[in-house]
Amino acid sequence: MKAQKLSRYNIIFDNDNKNIWMFNTLSGSMISLKPEIYNLLKGNNVNEIKTKHNDIFINLKKNGIILDSDLDEINLLKYMYWKTKFLQNKLNLSLTITKDCNFDCKYCYEKKENISFSDDLIKRIIKLVNNKKDSIKYLDIGWFGGEPMMKMDIIEDMTNKFKDICKKNNIIYSSYITTNGYFLNLANFEKLLDLNVKSIQITIDGPKEYHDRLRPLKGDVGTYDKIISNLLEIRSKYTRENLPKDFVFHLRVNVSEMNKDSLKGWLKNDFPKELKDLIEIYFARIFSDGEKGSAASINAMDNDIFPINRGSSSGTVDLDKFVQKLKFNTNVQYGLHSSFLYCGADYYNNYVILPNGDIAKCGVTMEKFGELNKNGEIIITNQGDYIKWMAKDPFTFNEPFEECEKCKLLPICMGGCSRIYKKFNKVGCFQYKNNIKEYLKSVRDSLMENESE
């Protein structure tokens, strides 16, 4: 038998004297071990485990807790990072179909403009997909704005064209939409389902008074009641049980200094209980940068909106545990399974297309690196920025990636957000880094509760 070693990416996150709980950030596996097995493992007595507990040995290998001693996990991560980054059988298009919006959110990272996709730009995008049709197996479309549902005619027109190309070329089509929810009534919801939208994300920032302060209509009119009314109308006909199995309805709740102390009371007492059967809730942090002239950049110093510790996930683990007890559907495992890239913006074949035809890598900064010409070809106009983005190499372990070499979370964050790296020359660490053990306990408890049901 080959010599074995412990993975460098094992995290022991709980020890209740009966079981030692361990998570491996490379394999995404979570296991529990009896103390006697853990002591053998810690002492590197792998042969004894194999001899006396072969089934456990096999399970440890399968879950990446132990591995062949000649396998260099850093080299494995390098290989998977670069292989995944330049994978070309999937085309991801994030389509900012309009910069116009009916909301005036106080932390929005976009500069609002009355500009939308033109007929000419739509033709160029369709040509782009046609140019790629022989090399891709998957087409994934993200509908963004501004507020994309202000342009449902564009979504419908382009979807039909995309689906036609995919049907003729055996390409698997999927799409998702990020919307403020104001126009998401039952009729529009069903239209999105018909258009193969597999994921919808809306945002409600806590109780009515806080949500309406942070996410009002233009003119400072509240939006909370309208969004809740829309959700209840949808819930009158649909639950998770009669929606497509691959469909997810995300409810994002941004946690700020302004609303953090009110969220538990709101979820327990005021949020409509019947909506638990429709949505999947998660909590997120907001950031005070984005396009120049955006609300986020203007309000950057408002510490009621943007927490002083901007890199903190403070409070969100506690909120995750709280909503689990209330029997909300959650995805507490989000981000724990390595895709070998931090986010879709790192893929070679990922493009953000703006209403003026500019091409960007990131939908937050929207910094132009190229243009889409009349033949549907992407022309790189800012080679320096583009190459810096695509050549980001966390495995140099030089500034700013020195800490990554010994970090057990490297398989999850892979050097972090490229936007943060490019703009600030910093590592955008995994948001739960500073309280990873509490986060893993929350994930464990959620998984065990789901199994018991």
Side-chain angles (χ1 to χ4, degrees):
M1 182 185 77
K2 278 189 174 183
Q4 304 293 306
K5 66 180 179 181
L6 284 172
S7 169
R8 67 192 294 159
Y9 297 115
N10 294 328
I11 297 175
I12 299 168
F13 65 90
D14 198 9
N15 182 354
D16 58 10
N17 296 318
K18 294 181 180 179
N19 293 287
I20 289 89
W21 286 88
M22 190 179 293
F23 180 77
N24 185 276
T25 58
L26 178 53
S27 67
S29 296
M30 182 178 289
I31 66 167
S32 66
L33 295 171
K34 297 298 181 185
E36 61 176 296
I37 300 297
Y38 172 71
N39 288 331
L40 290 172
L41 198 62
K42 187 170 65 171
N44 205 29
N45 296 313
V46 178
N47 282 334
E48 188 172 346
I49 297 176
K50 180 173 173 55
T51 302
K52 296 181 178 179
H53 312 278
N54 188 55
D55 55 337
I56 294 176
F57 171 81
I58 292 171
N59 195 44
L60 291 171
K61 286 277 289 186
K62 178 182 177 182
N63 288 285
I65 306 299
I66 58 174
L67 57 151
D68 294 344
S69 60
D70 61 353
L71 177 61
D72 186 319
E73 288 175 285
I74 293 289
N75 282 338
L76 175 60
L77 281 178
K78 286 182 187 177
Y79 168 72
M80 294 306 301
Y81 174 79
W82 293 110
K83 177 185 176 182
T84 306
K85 192 164 194 167
F86 289 98
L87 187 70
Q88 296 188 44
N89 71 346
K90 182 177 181 180
L91 177 61
N92 299 321
L93 297 181
S94 298
L95 304 180
T96 304
I97 57 177
T98 182
K99 294 294 291 291
D100 196 8
C101 187
N102 57 326
F103 275 31
D104 186 24
C105 300
K106 305 311 177 188
Y107 50 68
C108 184
Y109 55 77
E110 293 184 41
K111 182 180 178 182
K112 299 298 184 290
E113 299 175 89
N114 186 17
I115 179 175
S116 305
F117 275 15
S118 65
D119 290 342
D120 177 65
L121 179 56
I122 291 172
K123 289 177 183 176
R124 284 185 272 160
I125 295 170
I126 300 304
K127 286 181 180 179
L128 168 64
V129 176
N130 259 314
N131 292 340
K132 300 275 190 179
K133 68 180 186 296
D134 294 330
S135 61
I136 63 172
K137 294 182 180 179
Y138 307 93
L139 175 63
D140 192 28
I141 301 295
W143 304 106
F144 294 93
E147 173 44 49
M149 292 191 70
M150 294 175 71
K151 300 294 177 182
M152 285 294 291
D153 56 332
I154 292 178
I155 294 175
E156 188 167 6
D157 175 54
M158 295 189 74
T159 296
N160 290 332
K161 289 173 172 144
F162 289 143
K163 289 173 67 175
D164 184 57
I165 295 170
C166 290
K167 183 177 180 180
K168 290 177 180 177
N169 295 278
N170 295 316
I171 297 168
I172 297 173
Y173 175 79
S174 63
S175 71
Y176 58 98
I177 189 168
T178 299
T179 169
N180 59 38
Y182 197 82
F183 301 111
L184 192 64
N185 54 29
L186 177 61
N188 279 333
F189 178 79
E190 292 186 324
K191 185 176 289 188
L192 291 175
L193 292 179
D194 289 341
L195 293 173
N196 286 74
V197 171
K198 300 297 185 184
S199 169
I200 296 175
Q201 177 186 292
I202 66 168
T203 300
I204 299 179
D205 280 357
K208 174 181 169 64
E209 63 176 299
Y210 295 105
H211 174 93
D212 286 349
R213 194 185 310 175
L214 291 167
R215 299 180 63 80
L217 286 172
K218 290 178 179 177
D220 210 30
V221 177
T223 60
Y224 181 91
D225 290 338
K226 176 63 174 175
I227 296 171
I228 293 293
S229 174
N230 284 341
L231 291 177
L232 290 172
E233 184 185 13
I234 294 168
R235 175 60 183 81
S236 69
K237 185 173 180 180
Y238 291 98
T239 69
R240 289 164 63 95
E241 293 300 316
N242 61 355
L243 284 166
K245 292 188 180 299
D246 57 351
F247 176 84
V248 184
F249 200 145
H250 295 287
L251 174 62
R252 171 179 172 134
V253 178
N254 292 315
V255 182
S256 69
E257 293 298 309
M258 184 183 294
N259 69 2
K260 67 178 185 179
D261 294 329
S262 66
L263 294 177
K264 287 185 179 181
W266 167 64
L267 290 165
K268 182 178 181 180
N269 302 316
D270 300 323
F271 188 79
K273 303 297 186 291
E274 56 266 52
L275 293 181
K276 293 180 184 179
D277 292 328
L278 179 67
I279 56 93
E280 181 177 277
I281 192 169
Y282 76 100
F283 302 94
R285 60 184 179 181
I286 51 180
F287 38 82
S288 57
D289 69 314
E291 284 188 288
K292 186 176 181 181
S294 66
S297 65
I298 293 170
N299 297 324
M301 302 311 295
D302 187 337
N303 290 319
D304 280 338
I305 299 176
F306 303 103
I308 296 171
N309 183 3
R310 290 170 173 79
S312 173
S313 59
S314 176
T316 58
V317 172
D318 185 45
L319 286 166
D320 286 336
K321 291 179 180 178
F322 184 76
V323 296
Q324 288 166 35
K325 290 180 181 178
L326 293 179
K327 305 296 184 182
F328 277 88
N329 292 299
T330 62
N331 184 9
V332 293
Q333 298 180 76
Y334 177 77
L336 278 181
H337 292 288
S338 177
S339 64
F340 302 107
L341 294 177
Y342 178 80
C343 84
D346 288 331
Y347 283 98
Y348 166 77
N349 230 7
N350 179 88
Y351 306 103
V352 177
I353 303 181
L354 306 178
N356 60 0
D358 286 350
I359 306 291
K361 289 300 292 180
C362 174
V364 175
T365 60
M366 297 188 179
E367 292 179 352
K368 173 183 177 179
F369 78 83
E371 299 172 349
L372 190 61
N373 72 12
K374 64 180 181 180
N375 297 316
E377 299 165 334
I378 294 172
I379 308 300
I380 297 175
T381 57
N382 192 337
Q383 193 172 42
D385 279 356
Y386 176 73
I387 295 301
K388 182 175 181 180
W389 187 283
M390 292 306 300
K392 185 193 83 173
D393 183 0
F395 302 101
T396 61
F397 301 130
N398 295 320
E399 186 185 3
F401 302 114
E402 301 99 326
E403 63 185 288
C404 297
E405 185 173 12
K406 296 181 180 179
C407 182
K408 291 182 180 291
L409 301 183
L410 179 59
I412 294 175
C413 86
M414 300 300 271
C417 173
S418 292
R419 171 182 63 87
I420 293 175
Y421 162 67
K422 181 178 175 296
K423 189 169 184 178
F424 304 107
N425 197 41
K426 294 181 179 179
V427 177
C429 295
F430 183 57
Q431 64 173 322
Y432 295 109
K433 179 178 179 178
N434 294 329
N435 52 358
I436 185 64
K437 292 185 179 181
E438 287 303 309
Y439 179 61
L440 289 171
K441 288 178 187 178
S442 177
V443 172
R444 186 264 318 271
D445 294 345
S446 176
L447 292 172
M448 291 181 70
E449 186 169 335
N450 289 338
E451 285 182 6
S452 66
E453 293 177 356

